[in-house]
Amino acid sequence: MKNIELYRLLKIPNEVEKLLVDYENSRNIYVSGEIINKILKREQWDEGIKELEGLLSDDNDGIKILWELLNIAKDYSYMEYKRRKIPDDIFAATMKFCTRFLYEYYNIFHTWKFTWAWWFPRQISLNEYRIEALEYEFIDKDNREIAIHIPSDADLRKESVASSIKAFNIFRNKYYPEWKDISMTCETWMLMPELKELLGDDSNIVLFQNLFETDYIDYEATWYMDWIFPGVNKIDGELPDGTALQRNLKKYLLEGRKFGIAKGHLK
């Protein structure tokens, strides 16, 4: 696969594709195998990304590091998918992570920028896959878990979520049978119990959270703001209120009440 073929497969925006091609044509750095190997290992992801960033100058829009990571996805990840006989449609859906965040940044700030290089090693190293509506990350630490992530474009209708979980179980049993009995978890603002009050019991988000048993709640965490109020990090009267969730949560927060992040495991 050529780089341009990968961009087309992932439906990278035309403007970003041109920037990636321009960078490739002027690229004059060498990325060592040592750095690449770090990016492919969970315990060294952060170090590898930091070292890669150190090689790149004037990468304010993140296009250079996006090219470097997509190049690894082409040379390593795609070939590894082929070796393991994992279908191309799962590869494309998983790697479109970067496409989604390019568009999300553009929709908020009206310029193209890639700011998620720190997360991309999960997909590149075949630790995370998108299966239909949801993403699933194999976390191989002392306490193994499979973390469910919720893409911003996920269809959270009950049927869609059930279909994704069923499809993932089939995928896991085929490609990762040793993970069959590992707990599936989710850490997100969508598991906050206050959402029943804010959205009602019939909300797709509330129906999703009902699939989980809550393990802990962190009322000090504030990164829910990035997802519910994109581009805004201050709680005041200027919070956007374009959706029912925004309106209800804005009123809730301005009353001085706390919101946060919860983690649970699939029942």
Side-chain angles (χ1 to χ4, degrees):
M1 178 185 290
K2 297 179 180 179
N3 290 67
I4 196 70
E5 293 174 327
L6 177 60
Y7 306 156
R8 303 285 167 80
L9 177 65
L10 304 187
K11 297 184 178 179
I12 297 291
N14 292 335
E15 298 90 337
V16 176
E17 179 184 302
K18 182 179 184 305
L19 294 172
L20 290 168
V21 171
D22 289 345
Y23 169 67
E24 181 177 2
N25 291 336
S26 62
R27 181 174 179 263
N28 61 359
I29 67 167
Y30 168 73
V31 179
S32 68
E34 181 181 4
I35 290 178
I36 292 174
N37 286 336
K38 287 181 180 179
I39 290 172
L40 296 176
K41 293 179 181 178
R42 175 177 293 276
E43 64 274 11
Q44 295 181 297
W45 284 342
D46 293 341
E47 182 180 351
I49 290 295
K50 186 175 181 179
E51 291 182 10
L52 179 56
E53 289 173 335
L55 296 176
L56 305 171
S57 59
D58 302 322
D59 190 28
N60 295 327
D61 57 8
I63 296 299
K64 294 179 181 180
I65 199 165
L66 176 60
W67 186 94
E68 299 292 346
L69 294 176
L70 286 173
N71 197 52
I72 299 173
K74 178 202 69 173
D75 291 342
Y76 170 79
S77 312
Y78 184 69
M79 300 309 297
E80 192 64 16
Y81 268 72
K82 286 296 188 185
R83 186 184 72 80
R84 300 187 190 191
K85 296 182 171 57
I86 301 175
D88 283 0
D89 62 336
I90 294 180
F91 172 82
T94 300
M95 299 300 166
K96 280 181 181 177
F97 148 86
C98 59
T99 309
R100 187 172 74 251
F101 278 105
L102 282 166
Y103 275 110
E104 287 188 8
Y105 191 93
Y106 184 84
N107 289 337
I108 297 169
F109 300 105
H110 310 297
T111 187
W112 297 108
K113 186 173 183 177
F114 184 65
T115 62
W116 281 76
W118 62 280
W119 188 271
F120 206 5
R122 288 165 173 78
Q123 290 86 359
I124 293 172
S125 63
L126 281 73
N127 276 254
E128 182 172 315
Y129 298 90
R130 181 158 187 178
I131 310 294
E132 297 185 7
L134 304 172
E135 296 169 330
Y136 302 84
E137 180 184 358
F138 293 90
I139 301 179
D140 196 0
K141 293 184 177 180
D142 292 339
N143 294 317
R144 273 182 159 193
E145 62 183 299
I146 298 172
I148 298 175
H149 301 299
I150 309 160
S152 58
D153 61 350
D155 180 353
L156 286 183
R157 289 176 298 175
K158 186 177 181 179
E159 302 80 9
S160 178
V161 171
S163 176
S164 175
I165 293 173
K166 180 180 179 181
F168 172 74
N169 285 332
I170 294 171
F171 173 88
R172 175 179 59 179
N173 294 343
K174 181 175 183 178
Y175 299 104
Y176 293 89
E178 69 278 14
W179 287 75
K180 184 177 180 180
D181 298 320
I182 302 301
S183 176
M184 297 174 67
T185 65
C186 188
E187 185 176 22
T188 173
W189 59 269
M190 291 190 188
L191 296 191
M192 291 297 292
E194 289 78 6
L195 289 170
K196 289 183 172 65
E197 171 190 343
L198 296 173
L199 296 176
D201 291 338
D202 294 332
S203 161
N204 286 330
I205 291 176
V206 173
L207 293 174
F208 176 82
Q209 72 171 228
N210 288 341
L211 297 173
F212 294 83
E213 190 75 36
T214 302
D215 295 318
Y216 72 78
I217 299 174
D218 181 1
Y219 283 101
E220 299 306 314
T222 58
W223 52 266
Y224 66 85
M225 293 285 292
D226 295 331
W227 302 104
I228 303 176
F229 304 105
V232 180
N233 54 28
K234 185 179 180 182
I235 298 175
D236 60 21
E238 299 302 312
L239 282 174
D241 53 11
T243 68
L245 174 58
Q246 287 178 336
R247 287 191 296 274
N248 294 339
L249 184 57
K250 176 180 179 178
K251 181 176 182 293
Y252 179 93
L253 294 172
L254 291 178
E255 290 173 352
R257 302 164 75 185
K258 288 266 192 172
F259 197 70
I261 301 297
K263 183 174 181 178
H265 61 274
L266 196 64
K267 293 178 182 177

